[in-house]
Amino acid sequence: MEFVTANGKRPGPIGQGTWYLGENPASFGQERRALQAGIEQGMTLIDTAEMYGDGAAEELVGSAIQHYERESLYLVSKVYPFNAGRKNIFNSCRNSLRRMRTDYLDLYLLHWRGGVPFAETVECMQELQRQGLIRSWGVSNLDTEDMQELLAVPGGGACAADQVLYHLGSRGVEYDLLPFLQKREIPLMAYCPLAQAGRLRRGLFANDTVQDISFAHDATPAQVLLAFLLTKPGVLPIPRTGRALHTVENADAAALRLTAEELALLDAAFPPPTRKLPLDMQ
């Protein structure tokens, strides 16, 4: 399965995340320009959620996209697990649409597994599709066993994506989830592809191997990390930044081609998993 906009165009191989964006009024204009810079670089898939800033990120997206052709964009949002049933999901979806100033979502995701049965959520997603409010639906933060259960539900096979944490320093999904999704042609959306922040992110960027590869390509460490994910079939990274300069930098990573030798060096520096690990969720 590939992401395709309403006018039949494919978004770029790198999307845009919005976690923590839109929450500070003083940064709103800067973050709006960052999203627009991404759109202009072909990063037309934008991911958000009703959870992010209690809707503030969705409002930021709605403001940023007003001067662009809606059919050329691929907009994604996510519903809280406790809103993913008949009682709340329709209002949640309409509220997300209102904040984003759009008539439909290209993809609507269950943010993580909660108490609402998968069967009920799938039925609701199908109804949202019939109403024209969403074009497709998927999930987020579901591990292999969860995906197996979901796909066994009537209509569950229409799941269009699983969005999970995945970056060079957190490769647990490679053990079984990524192969499972690849076999079924279900895209994996990689959030926090540059790591969230703190010591882990600093360690990735300062790593000697990452530094050497970035120097060899006249690239940045962030671009190397994104290029690594782009070597994985069916993976679409969605980095988040509030600065236009960094957005353009992220977009340029799509042109970086890592060699087999460089990938082997990255594997040595950050070994892939040899056993099942708990799925990280952020």
Side-chain angles (χ1 to χ4, degrees), residues 146-198:
D146 297 318
M147 288 299 300
Q148 290 172 330
E149 185 177 339
L150 173 68
L151 297 182
V153 168
C159 176
D162 187 10
Q163 183 181 128
V164 296
L165 176 71
Y166 182 27
H167 57 74
L168 181 62
S170 183
R171 301 179 62 176
V173 299
E174 293 179 18
Y175 184 79
D176 61 355
L177 178 61
L178 180 56
F180 177 90
L181 296 174
Q182 289 171 329
K183 183 178 180 180
R184 290 156 182 81
E185 298 185 341
I186 300 174
L188 185 152
M189 300 176 70
Y191 67 75
C192 293
L194 304 177
Q196 182 182 350

